[in-house]
Structure formats: C-alpha cells, structure tokens
Amino acid sequence: MKASIPRRYYLIPLAYVAIIAMLVTLEFSGTVKIEERLNNLTVTAEVSARRRGDSSALQKLILDLDGFILAFERQEPLEFRLSSGRSVFAHLTGYSILPGAVEIDFGDRLKFEIRDGNDDQSRVRVEANLKESAELVIPFQYPVQGGVDEIGGLPLFEIRQQDRKPENITAVALPADSTIDLENGFFVLRNGADSFGDFYVTRLEKETTSSIAHWFSLHYQSPEPEAFDSQLESYLAGAYLGWTTTRYSVTGGTWRMPDSPPQFDEYALTAALTEALKRGTYPETSARFRSGMLLHAGETTYLSAPHLGDIVNKGRGIMSGDIDRIREVEGMVSRGDLKVFSEPCLLPFLQDRAPTSLFQNLAELAGRTDIAAADPGDAAGMLNVYLESRDIEGPLAAAFGSFRKITETSLLPAVRLTDRGYFIAATDDRIDVYNSLRAGVSLKLLGSYEDNEFLEEIGRALVSSALQLSESEGFLPAALQTDERTVIGTSGILRPEELYPLITGEAYYPKHVSLTADLGARSWAWTLAENFEARRSGSRLVISFEYPVGRTHHFLLQGIEPFSSMTFFGIPWVSDPRFQFYGSGWLYDEAGKTLYVKITHSIEREELVIAFD
C-alpha cells in the first residue's frame, strides 16, 4: 500500500522556484552601487543592474568633495536658462575616472571635470556646447550634521561638518559672476559661449587661511601697480582740470559745485596748489588764483597757510580750533561712540595737542570695545587708528594694537562684489563710498607694512572701484544702493577736494607731523614738506625736510625751547618780524614755544640748525 504525499509538500518546489525568480528579477532590475575614491573626492555611482554595460545604466552619481556634495540623477536634468529666455536641459549620461580627475558627461551639451590638485583642493571645470550665453543652475548638498554659510558679498560659501573642529571648513569659491541661493540649495554659474569657468572646493583651516583671501587668490585679477597708478593719475588729472579751469571762475574766485551755488572753497584751493606743485605748474596756477585769493583773503585759514603764507596769524588758528575739537572728541569718548575712531589724525592730535587724560580715556575705550561688533564704517576708522599707533611710542599707543584684527572680523567679511566693482558694504543694500575708499587706502597701506600681497590687492581693488565711479571732474557718488550685486541707484556727492589728501597720502599737502619721539612731549609741525625730521646733535637741533627746488613753503614748529641762534643754508640767519616778505626767514614766539619759518629751497632737502649755546 502506497502512502500518499501531503499536498503541502508540493508547495516546497514551487516556493524555491518563486525565490529563484525573485532573485533573478532583482539581479536584472535593481541598482548596484559603485564607490571609488580619489584623494578628497568620493564618487558613488548607482547603476542599473538590468542594463549594466549599457550607456543608459548610470542612474545617479554622487560626488562628495570634503562635505560639498553634488548629486546628479538621470531623471533630474540640469537646467540652462538661455539669454533668449528659453530653458534647455542636460541629462546625466556617464562618467569616467581619469588619472587625477573625474569627468561627468551630460550628453553633448555639458561636461564637468573635477580635477584633484592636491589633498586639500579640487578644481571643477564646467564646459558647455551652447550657441548663446546662459545661466546653469546647479543644486548642491552638505552633510545633515553640518552647516553652510555664505561669506560676505562674494560668490563664496563655507561648509561646516560636525565631525571636524569649527575652524576646519570646506570653502566653495565660485567665479565672480556667480550667485548663490542657500535657502533653496543651488548656485548659478554664468558663461560665455563655451565655458562656465572654474570653481574650487578647498579644505581650509580658518585660523591660518581666510576663505575671502583664498577666493581673491583664485578669482580676482588685481590691477598691476602700474595700471593702478595710471588710473589714479587719470582721476587726479580730471580733478585738477576742474579745480583750475572747468569749475573755477577767475572773476569770482569761486568753484562750481554740483549741489550748491558757486563758492570759494579752501579745500579746492589747497588741493589745486598741491597738485600744481607735483605737476610743475605751480607759478601759473598760483597766478591764476591770485585775484580770487585777494577777493577771499578773509576766508582762508591755517589749512592753506603753508602754501600762501601769513603762517603766524593763520597758524594761531590751529590752537584755537583745537579747543573745539578736544571738546568734540571728549564727548564722543564719554558716550562710547565708535565714530571717534574715524576722526582724522586722531592719535597724533591727542598725543601732541590734547590733554593726556583724553588720550588715556580713548585707550580705555579701545580696550573695552567689542571689535567683532563694529560696523564696517567704524571698522575702517579703527584700522586707520591702528596704523597711526604704529608710529607712536608708549603704552597708550599699544592699547590700539588689538584693532589690527578688525581687518578679518569686520572689513573683509563686508567686501561686496557688485556690477560696478568691489566695495565695503555698509548694509545689505547700501554702500558708503567714502568709507569703502578709506578702508581700501588703509588695507593697501597695511599690506605694504606687513608684506601681505593680498591686503595690498584688496586695498587697490577697493580704491580702484571707487575711482571708477567718478565723472570727468572727479566727483563720486557718496552712496550706492544695491539689489544683490547690482547697483540700482546713487545718492549724495563726494567732491574730489575732500578725497585728495586721502588718496594721495597727503604728499605736499598741509599736515600735522609729530616730533614728540625726537623732541619730547607736545612737539609737532604743521607743514607741506615731505620727510620732515628732527634730530638732536649735542647742543644743536637739526630740522630737515624735502620740497621742490626753487619753491617756497611756510611751516610752524611747536614745542621749541628758547635757543640762541639759527642757521639757514649753512649761514647764521637772524629773526625778523617781517620775515614773510622775504624769500626765507623766521620768527620765534618764546611764550608759545612756536617757531614760524618761510623758506625757498636751494636744494631738495634743506636743514635748519638751531643752537642752544
């Protein structure tokens, strides 16, 4: 008798067949992940198992460059926004691993090449086959446990990762005409006809390398010093033409103003005479102004006295004006107003011409100032004060050493790229042109002090961009209104005579020169001369300075103790109250310890020797 097999046993081979069929289906219809690594770049490809070996097998490609992630999918093409208004799309088609690089193909329209330059940086080149200019929208990702920050007003962002120290970041430096939309997770590249240029993904340690400096090293072509000097000369030539001809009325002795009726302006007069001196046109320029100076003789002050004379009477106005300025500075210091640091020639003035207690109070304000909270305008002033402190000795000057880091905390993050150039932004939509220009001058000077090429370059960029806003006579807008990177409006006016001492470094322009380090407290000069120096030699005091041969200038020296004699041009020279009627001479005010001098140079560097026998 045969035993019957239970029906459930017939299900066993059917189950095996079903399992085998399912495995076969998965094998040929699922995806397979392929991962490869090239230094700091990880490439993960998802390939269709069913079409493996076919050109259409690649379904998704993920490229991770130190936390900067590009994820491309066949079903989600990249969009080109053409200048004609149309959109076209490029689909992922394949990739290749090459020596030191990865190529990603999007049909015949688009190709990415990611080249590994070293362990810290990758270059991404984007090439397109288009007949017109376009925008390319590229989505990106970053680690879930990380973060992303757009830096300043540049096409630059930083990616933070939780498993790294806060100072270690990945910087993504895009080409200058790119834009970033962090909220929606994409950036936009713009092209010529065939290329969207290069962008760079770099691992940085923020304490040693600024991502902003890194961006400039990659994407900014700084004007050569010769080109910058040529631009400055062109600007000054236009301003000089305005001061002497197109803006000036010989009959009225006034200058045309863009925002007010014609008026006498001592700043325009002083700038014009200084520039004429440099151009070798001083005699004819001063002759052109002569009738106007007679008409407005009562309106000139100590500012123009080093050019025009009457240094005794006009020079006394310095001391009377100091009283008002001291009160103004005291008020700002007592209120903790950081705008006090934007006062011109602040530290030399306080050291030489104000009560010591005011200098101490300012130093205390500097010590308690939260540098990171300073707005860009105040930061520009604070950097200039730091530069002034380098030329002043003593513990009070040292109190301003901390202002050096204002460059990295406030100024560089405020650099904004616009369609009119580079500027320091006051707010998200406003640029104060004077503050941007002043910051540029200070950064350029700081770079030269520290042998820092980047700071010199960014300083030149800021100055150059401001000067490019000028019209033929040197007027600049005082403020720019911006919408993202586009300048959409201007307001106010900056006159070239206001900017002249700033952009020329006060060369042959009236200025305060501190002599405290050489002669003792409260010793200083008001002068046009360059390289003005004082040195003691036994019982003698030697004052030396430079000025063009054959030209005359006037100066005062404050803080000179009573003396027995003075030598000009190597011969004894006696005091004369009428000295200003002669080619050279001097007068001493013993009560005020002030020496007044007029001198016509026989050589470029002259010396006065004061004897205390």
Side-chain angles (χ1 to χ4, degrees), residues 17-95:
V17 170
I19 292 171
I20 292 170
M22 181 181 67
L23 291 174
V24 170
T25 300
L26 288 174
E27 171 68 15
F28 290 98
S29 65
T31 59
V32 175
K33 287 189 176 182
I34 303 172
E35 184 172 294
E36 300 182 68
R37 187 168 182 84
L38 183 65
N39 288 331
N40 62 324
L41 169 62
T42 301
V43 181
T44 304
E46 293 187 10
V47 180
S48 171
R50 182 169 55 87
R51 296 193 298 269
R52 190 185 299 182
D54 191 305
S55 60
S56 64
L58 181 61
Q59 299 299 303
K60 186 174 184 179
L61 189 66
I62 300 173
L63 303 112
D64 187 337
L65 295 90
D66 276 317
F68 170 69
I69 302 169
L70 294 173
F72 303 126
E73 295 192 43
R74 178 178 293 276
Q75 301 304 318
E76 296 180 10
L78 296 184
E79 178 186 6
F80 290 105
R81 300 169 179 168
L82 303 181
S83 57
S84 61
R86 298 182 303 115
S87 288
V88 296
F89 298 90
H91 293 263
L92 176 67
T93 58
Y95 77 101

Side-chain angles (χ1 to χ4, degrees), residues 380-591:
M382 292 162 74
L383 177 59
N384 188 62
V385 165
Y386 165 74
L387 294 172
E388 290 178 349
S389 75
R390 293 172 58 99
D391 297 323
I392 295 178
E393 298 178 356
L396 289 180
F400 303 94
S402 63
F403 284 5
R404 165 60 185 84
K405 59 187 177 184
I406 203 83
T407 299
E408 287 75 25
T409 61
S410 298
L411 287 178
L412 293 182
V415 172
R416 172 169 295 177
L417 171 59
T418 75
D419 59 343
R420 303 295 296 275
Y422 296 86
F423 300 92
I424 297 289
T427 64
D428 288 343
D429 60 0
R430 184 177 181 276
I431 291 166
D432 183 310
V433 176
Y434 181 82
N435 280 336
S436 185
L437 180 61
R438 180 174 54 154
V441 170
S442 295
L443 288 169
K444 183 173 176 289
L445 183 59
L446 179 63
S448 67
Y449 283 162
E450 297 183 351
D451 195 24
N452 186 320
E453 187 175 344
F454 162 66
L455 292 179
E456 287 193 82
E457 286 186 354
I458 186 62
R460 281 197 297 268
L462 293 170
V463 174
S464 176
S465 297
L467 296 184
Q468 285 175 0
L469 299 171
S470 70
E471 46 77 85
S472 60
E473 294 176 334
F475 293 101
L476 302 181
L480 306 179
Q481 298 298 319
T482 61
D483 182 5
E484 294 186 346
R485 295 207 189 125
T486 302
V487 174
I488 58 174
T490 66
S491 60
I493 294 173
L494 293 173
R495 294 179 287 129
E497 48 268 29
E498 298 175 273
L499 305 178
Y500 185 78
L502 174 66
I503 62 178
T504 61
E506 296 185 318
Y508 297 119
Y509 192 86
K511 53 188 167 290
H512 172 111
V513 176
S514 178
L515 301 172
T516 292
D518 303 303
L519 304 183
R522 306 197 179 284
S523 299
W524 52 275
W526 181 252
T527 180
L528 294 166
E530 291 298 290
N531 299 314
F532 200 102
E533 298 175 353
R535 69 179 189 276
R536 292 191 181 276
S537 177
S539 62
R540 301 187 310 161
L541 174 62
V542 180
I543 308 295
S544 60
F545 40 83
E546 295 176 4
Y547 204 71
V549 175
R551 302 269 71 86
T552 302
H553 64 107
H554 312 252
F555 64 86
L556 68 81
L557 281 172
Q558 181 66 36
I560 302 298
E561 298 293 338
F563 54 91
S564 56
S565 64
M566 182 181 296
T567 299
F568 273 34
F569 311 116
I571 59 176
W573 210 277
V574 297
S575 175
D576 188 332
R578 300 171 300 169
F579 76 99
Q580 294 183 90
F581 294 99
Y582 309 129
S584 300
W586 61 276
L587 180 68
Y588 179 63
D589 175 7
E590 185 172 341

